[in-house]
Amino acid sequence: MSGTSEGPTPAADLDRSAATESETPASPGGEPLDGAGPPPVRRVRSAYRSVFAAAPLAMAVVDRAGLIANANEAFALLLGGGSEPLAGRPAADLLELAADGSTRHAYREVLCGRRAELRCTRRLKQPDGRTLWTQITLTPLDEADDGLLLSVTDISAHHDLQARLRHLQMHDPVTRLPNRTLFFERVTAALEAEAHNERGTGRIGLCYLDIDGFKAVNDTLGHRVGDRLLAAVAERLTACAEEAGRTRPSVPLVARLGGDEFALLVADSTGTEQVADLAESALKALQAPFDLSGQRLNVSASIGVVERHAAGTTATGLMQAADTTLYWAKVDGKDRWTLFDPERNAHLMTRQALASTLRPAIERGEFRLEYQPLVGMADGRLRGVEALVRWDHPRFGPLPPNRFVALAEEDGSIVPLGRWVLDTACRQARRWQTDHPDEPPLFVSVNVAVRQVWDSDLVADVARILAETGLSPRLLQLELTESAVMGSAGQPLQTLQALSDMGVNIAIDDFGTGYSNLAYLSRLPVSVLKLDGSFVRGFQHEGPDAPPNPADEVVVEAMIALAHRLGLTVTAECVETSAQATRLRSIGCDTGQGWLYSRPVTPDRISELLESTSYAVGNP
């Protein structure tokens, strides 16, 4: 057979070629045999042609240039059985072997002899419009021939069966929507670099939805009604997607991810507005009542909306953002859609990171205490300090209490943390007393959370720490918030009473922001009120022509007078100016705390202040 592009070799030529190769038959020893019949090579060639022509398998011989040299009848029928001769036509065009880059490359490699075989599946469209799925194999002939054998098998029936099985595997039986597996396949495909580069927008959008109160429908009406509701929801979401796709290049994919969770994927998003409009239309579609075989139901949905650049996004990251945003939508009141907010998410992630490392951080000793002076208003001398905990986080740096105390209260780690703060503060107070024996001893004030009162034996902890450190109970002050103390009964009240009987001072922190039930103070073992800074700030001039708020002055003066009548002392928080200090002093406030005197400082700085004869106003 020719290796050029001049067309197939006629059958007569094949006969002459065979005869040329062996004009006279020979014996096994090489001697010619008279009357022995056709030569063996000719018989092989003839048999080859017969099998090739009559075989039900579609076959063709392709030369090294990729042109059809010869083809059997099955091959012609598979391609439509047209009258146009196949010889000399490029095999790649007939079988679409150049439709994708990888197959095109492999085909050329086989033609050039650098690859032994090509196997691929191709979808072929016939002249009558029918489509066939075929498996194509291309392999070289024997070394004596320079051509290649091309075989094509019709696998349409097998392919259709596989397609039906895959459809069942990839679709939800209740709603007939794509299921979670197919959804993630589509998301992954949409995020591939080739996909979003070819589309041009380079963006992806997702609406992650679940039905508010669906569990109640299942529990009260049964799973059969629940399934009907899911199917009806699927129909409405599909209609929304189709409507949205009328003015867009593609229709959003609607999928059921499991339970009452659905997703609408916009693989070629044009921006946040498009995805938000889709979420809004989905909400409105589900707000209309559902009539399910006489059962009328009203439901709503919550939707998390995410829209972002496809580059750098993973399927997992996209779903995590959508899940977080769906949670926000439910927290914000349900029956709404909420757009993903990176700042809100960053705060949440930070909060989760802090919560997960709180207990190990206590064991690793990542916490330290700073102390803010409490100054006598009458003489300006240092009377005590408030211990304030700081977290030297290895990732986020120094963190103030408002970043982690609430988390510690939620997971219970406030109990061991509070115990460490109490122990460290008492030891430090005793050390100052030992190092400065000629100075009046400082009291130390420690904040106590409500959970410490309920979840730990606070009285035993305080007694043990005072015994171990040698600190006098009168030099320890425990601060609780007003809302925690007011209305206390049972164990909290018994705990406060036991601490007070021990000689420990109990202070109400941020007084004036909660119940402010002054009459109740007479029945509590409280010795100190700490006025909230919002009252003290009312003493400050707002401008050169704006005097202090007289109402704040009247309220503060009344609270101080009543506290003194009850035998309580008063500490003013957030004292920032000398004018505030002067006015507080004039109405009888006992101690002050704030940046006018000092920010929270290290223990060494407190030692320096103890050595001064009086506390200098404005000292940093």
Side-chain angles (χ1 to χ4, degrees), residues 316-533:
T316 302
L318 184 69
M319 287 306 300
Q320 285 177 342
D323 185 60
T324 298
T325 313
L326 174 60
Y327 170 77
W328 294 344
K330 286 190 169 296
V331 169
D332 293 343
K334 302 181 180 180
D335 192 18
R336 69 189 61 222
W337 62 268
T338 300
L339 184 65
F340 181 75
D341 181 358
E343 292 186 4
R344 184 175 181 180
N345 186 61
H347 175 74
L348 177 65
M349 296 298 289
T350 301
R351 191 175 190 272
Q352 291 174 338
L354 294 178
S356 64
T357 56
L358 255 171
R359 288 184 181 272
I362 299 172
E363 299 172 0
R364 290 193 297 264
E366 293 178 4
F367 293 90
R368 60 182 171 84
L369 294 184
E370 290 184 347
Y371 301 87
Q372 187 168 27
L374 295 162
V375 178
M377 301 294 290
D379 57 10
R381 293 187 65 87
L382 184 60
R383 301 297 186 189
V385 294
E386 179 180 355
L388 299 170
V389 63
R390 302 287 187 263
W391 184 0
D392 289 328
H393 196 281
R395 177 181 172 189
F396 302 112
L399 300 177
N402 61 2
R403 293 290 301 277
F404 58 86
V405 167
L407 296 175
E409 290 180 355
E410 288 178 10
D411 71 357
S413 59
I414 191 66
V415 174
L417 178 60
R419 188 179 296 119
W420 176 86
V421 171
L422 183 64
D423 182 87
T424 303
C426 288
R427 291 184 187 280
Q428 183 59 61
R430 180 60 177 146
R431 190 173 302 115
W432 283 321
Q433 186 178 5
T434 303
D435 293 344
H436 303 276
D438 298 331
E439 298 295 332
L442 298 179
F443 71 87
V444 62
S445 188
V446 178
N447 290 279
V448 176
V450 176
R451 190 157 183 173
Q452 288 179 260
V453 180
W454 280 101
D455 294 0
S456 70
D457 193 348
L458 184 60
V459 176
D461 287 340
V462 170
R464 175 184 57 79
I465 290 171
L466 291 177
E468 291 177 356
T469 61
L471 186 70
S472 171
R474 67 181 181 85
L475 297 178
L476 175 61
Q477 177 174 290
L478 300 181
E479 297 185 20
L480 291 90
T481 61
E482 179 182 349
S483 58
V485 175
M486 293 300 183
S488 295
Q491 181 178 337
L493 182 58
Q494 295 171 10
T495 298
L496 295 179
Q497 188 63 58
L499 291 169
S500 179
D501 293 343
M502 193 186 300
V504 174
N505 294 311
I506 306 298
I508 299 179
D509 194 15
D510 299 328
F511 186 78
T513 60
Y515 297 99
S516 299
N517 188 345
L518 296 177
Y520 196 72
L521 291 175
S522 62
R523 297 193 292 273
L524 287 174
V526 174
S527 53
V528 180
L529 295 184
K530 297 189 72 174
L531 294 180
D532 184 69

Side-chain angles (χ1 to χ4, degrees), residues 6 18 78 80 84 197 248 268 286 371 405 444 492 503 510 517 531 538 587:
E6 296 178 357
L78 188 70
E84 184 178 354
N197 287 339
R248 303 291 178 182
D268 187 12
L286 298 182
Y371 301 87
V405 167
V444 62
D510 299 328
N517 188 345
L531 294 180
I587 59 178

Side-chain angles (χ1 to χ4, degrees), residues 146-198:
D146 198 31
L148 302 100
L149 181 64
L150 180 67
S151 63
V152 186
T153 305
D154 183 357
I155 60 168
S156 298
H158 176 73
H159 184 275
D160 291 345
L161 176 60
Q162 291 295 104
R164 287 194 294 272
L165 291 175
R166 175 175 167 79
H167 183 86
L168 292 174
Q169 292 172 349
M170 295 295 183
H171 287 75
D172 170 53
V174 175
T175 63
R176 300 186 179 181
L177 291 176
N179 61 15
R180 175 179 288 270
T181 303
L182 180 54
F183 170 77
F184 272 97
E185 276 192 12
R186 297 289 180 85
V187 171
T188 302
L191 293 175
E192 289 178 353
E194 296 81 2
H196 59 72
N197 287 339
E198 290 175 3

